Amino acid sequence: MNRSILPGATIGVLGSGQLGRMFAMAARRMGYLVHTFSPETDTPTGQISDVEIPASYDDLDAVRDFARHVDVVTFEFENIPATTVEAVAEYAPVRPSGTVLHTAQHRLREKTFLVNAGFPVTPFRHVRSLADLQSGLGELGLPAVLKTAGFGYDGKGQSKITSADDAERAFASIGGQEAILEAFVDFEREVSVIAARGTDGAVKSYGVIDNIHHRHILDCSVSPAAVGPEVAQRGREIAESLLEQLDVIGVLCVEFFLGRDGRLYVNEIAPRPHNSGHFTIDACVTSQFEQQLRAVCGLPLGATEMFCGGAAMSNLLGDLWQNGEPRWRNACAFPAVKLHLYGKHEPRAGRKMGHLTARAATTVEALDIVRAARRSLTEA
Ligand code: AMP
């Protein structure tokens, strides 16, 4: 039996964005101390932490010093170099482990793991050259999606290919890097499942979440998703089985396409809380961030049930600031709406600055309310 890391202990966080911020809030509420490590200062996570260490992930002396002063380390951002994680692991447990991070931070390794473990994914090919791409297109057919193998998110580093003549342009557009070519999934909707696994192997998941994207960035999430009981059950089974097969201690988000054929295809996995799970702070017994804390500290996992019939979340991107500060009073006039802001100073277009959530009797109602509240931010 693993020894639990109890309140009063110090949790280290690699990365310093909004996911770390909401994690730090959950940790501090439960009496833990938080140290965050990233190359920046005055960060969303750092503002909530006891100690903020601004150093490069490649500065292994600083990394080791950070690890020496904490009881366990987790991360809120996947693109952490393997050497950094190894240096941390010399002094403190890293949860989830560096092996999980290594699989999830590279699309080709991720899909290869998934297919070998028998999880449903769209057919794909490894692309190292234009010739690979052309033969891949011949095998998979059109349309197809070309994605850089490493370090991509929110549709960055990817290109849809709709005709054979398009191959050269698509390969150039991702910089001629090592890539993965995927058969295009004709999907009905995009959904996700968030699940957690503790040090004792116990697993708990939240239900299936509906995700609505705009320009490749998550716009709104709704829970529970409008899917039948079989799809809901299958989504949870896949997420829970993935946690076990990857031996994750922590939280994992699985993003799926629900095909028009009624089948779920795993698109991506993220071994951390996810934007689509932000509603859990306001609508569930245990938020995804508290669940991450419980899992990495070896505490029993909390209940995942929702308090309401429907919950919705809408992201607040920097674009909302185009004509000045959004009118926060207007959103606060919706009694079921909660405002979350991440403490970022520069509202750039496409940058996630905060989000709103709404709880209601149904998902349709919750989505209507959260959208109306967001619209009100730019109304007089
Ligand atoms: P990703 O960066 O892999 O999450 O992809 C971003 C978005 O591109 C997804 O949310 C989908 O809308 C779309 N997309 C990515 N891969 C595929 C695919 N194989 N088939 C259809 N749409 C895709």
Side-chain angles (χ1 to χ4, degrees):
M1 183 73 186
N2 270 294
R3 203 169 49 86
S4 296
I5 296 163
L6 297 170
T10 304
I11 320 285
V13 180
L14 289 166
S16 60
Q18 62 269 19
L19 299 176
R21 179 185 183 87
M22 291 180 269
F23 172 79
M25 285 174 166
R28 293 193 68 159
R29 190 177 68 173
M30 282 177 60
Y32 289 88
L33 288 94
V34 178
H35 292 193
T36 183
F37 186 104
S38 85
E40 285 138 55
T41 51
D42 191 16
T43 58
T45 311
Q47 292 162 6
I48 306 297
S49 298
D50 296 273
V51 176
E52 178 175 52
I53 299 152
S56 156
Y57 294 120
D58 301 321
D59 181 349
L60 297 185
D61 289 334
V63 169
R64 288 191 181 99
D65 197 45
F66 155 77
R68 266 195 290 267
H69 291 93
V70 299
D71 296 290
V72 62
V73 171
T74 190
F75 46 85
E76 65 100 51
F77 157 80
E78 276 119 290
N79 295 342
I80 310 238
T83 46
T84 308
V85 177
E86 282 158 21
V88 169
E90 291 169 22
Y91 296 94
V94 182
R95 294 176 180 157
S97 72
T99 318
V100 175
L101 197 63
H102 184 73
T103 305
Q105 68 187 187
H106 189 270
R107 284 176 167 137
L108 198 63
R109 278 200 292 270
E110 177 180 274
K111 285 258 156 58
T112 306
F113 162 80
L114 289 167
V115 80
N116 289 342
F119 292 101
V121 294
T122 188
F124 66 92
R125 293 289 181 275
H126 185 180
V127 170
R128 278 151 298 202
S129 63
L130 185 58
D132 283 347
L133 175 57
Q134 277 154 342
S135 66
L137 287 170
E139 287 162 22
L140 300 182
L142 291 165
V145 185
L146 185 67
K147 304 177 179 179
T148 52
F151 297 118
Y153 65 97
D154 285 349
K156 295 201 172 87
Q158 68 163 270
S159 183
K160 185 173 172 185
I161 303 176
T162 49
S163 79
D165 308 341
D166 226 13
E168 212 168 323
R169 177 211 52 82
F171 197 51
S173 82
I174 63 151
Q177 303 174 58
E178 184 185 31
I180 175 170
L181 180 71
E182 296 178 6
F184 191 81
V185 180
D186 182 22
F187 60 82
E188 180 198 311
R189 59 210 315 138
E190 293 186 72
V191 299
S192 55
V193 175
I194 294 168
R197 183 164 171 268
T199 49
D200 58 356
V203 167
K204 275 196 199 290
S205 59
Y206 298 86
V208 179
I209 305 160
D210 255 325
N211 296 321
I212 305 157
H213 292 85
H214 182 63
R215 295 203 190 113
H216 288 302
I217 300 178
L218 186 66
D219 185 45
C220 294
S221 290
V222 178
S223 174
V227 297
E230 280 120 61
V231 171
Q233 166 86 6
R234 178 95 180 105
R236 284 178 102 133
E237 276 168 12
I238 291 175
E240 294 184 7
S241 155
L242 260 168
L243 279 169
E244 276 156 14
Q245 297 215 30
L246 276 167
D247 196 14
V248 175
I249 294 173
V251 167
L252 178 82
C253 175
V254 187
E255 293 183 71
F256 297 95
F257 298 122
L258 176 59
R260 289 191 198 282
D261 55 7
R263 294 186 56 208
L264 282 170
Y265 297 86
V266 178
N267 175 34
E268 247 179 358
I269 56 177
R272 53 164 172 78
H274 189 260
N275 194 171
S276 62
H278 290 356
F279 76 93
T280 60
I281 296 177
D282 301 313
C284 294
V285 178
T286 309
S287 77
Q288 61 170 348
F289 301 102
E290 183 182 328
Q291 202 72 300
Q292 178 185 18
L293 176 77
R294 286 170 174 251
V296 304
C297 288
L299 295 174
L301 299 180
T304 53
E305 281 79 15
M306 282 173 64
F307 291 130
C308 49
M313 182 283 317
S314 67
N315 272 330
L316 305 177
L317 301 184
D319 312 58
L320 271 173
W321 275 249
Q322 225 164 31
N323 297 313
E325 191 73 12
R327 295 185 169 79
W328 305 121
R329 239 192 107 79
N330 291 355
C332 293
F334 290 77
V337 166
K338 298 284 174 195
L339 170 65
H340 299 249
L341 288 171
Y342 307 148
K344 296 183 183 175
H345 303 298
E346 235 189 288
R348 291 191 296 274
R351 189 174 196 208
K352 291 173 182 169
M353 302 296 290
H355 68 269
L356 298 174
T357 63
R359 278 158 53 169
T362 66
T363 51
V364 173
E365 210 183 316
L367 185 59
D368 279 352
I369 294 171
V370 88
R371 282 182 162 152
R374 186 172 58 183
R375 274 196 308 277
S376 79
L377 292 172
T378 50
E379 288 162 3

